[in-house]
Amino acid sequence: MLKVKDLMTREVLTLAPHTSVREAAEILATEHVSGAPVVRVGRVVGMISAADLLDFIAQLPGDPEAVTG
């Protein structure tokens, strides 16, 4: 039976908590990944996904550039 360990990525892309929404979206798109752990001082403090970013941007009133720029 195929296991998660057989599909997982060992070299994990991480983001810092202070990464902007725009930077996070650009990094995920550039690296062709759908999400990344958020790490502070070597410890995972959360996760961010492309779906999280799209939901956030879709809920913005007016121009998303004003918030993400």
Side-chain angles (χ1 to χ4, degrees), residues 8-63:
M8 70 182 193
T9 301
R10 293 186 189 279
E11 294 181 22
V12 179
L13 167 75
T14 63
L15 299 173
H18 63 271
T19 303
S20 73
V21 170
R22 169 176 236 155
E23 287 175 301
E26 289 174 355
I27 292 167
L28 294 182
T30 301
E31 297 297 324
H32 305 288
V33 295
S34 60
V38 179
V39 176
R40 179 178 42 224
V41 192
R43 185 176 183 133
V44 175
V45 295
M47 281 289 295
I48 189 74
S49 70
D52 295 333
L53 294 170
L54 289 173
D55 287 345
F56 172 77
I57 292 167
Q59 292 179 30
L60 290 175
D63 182 13

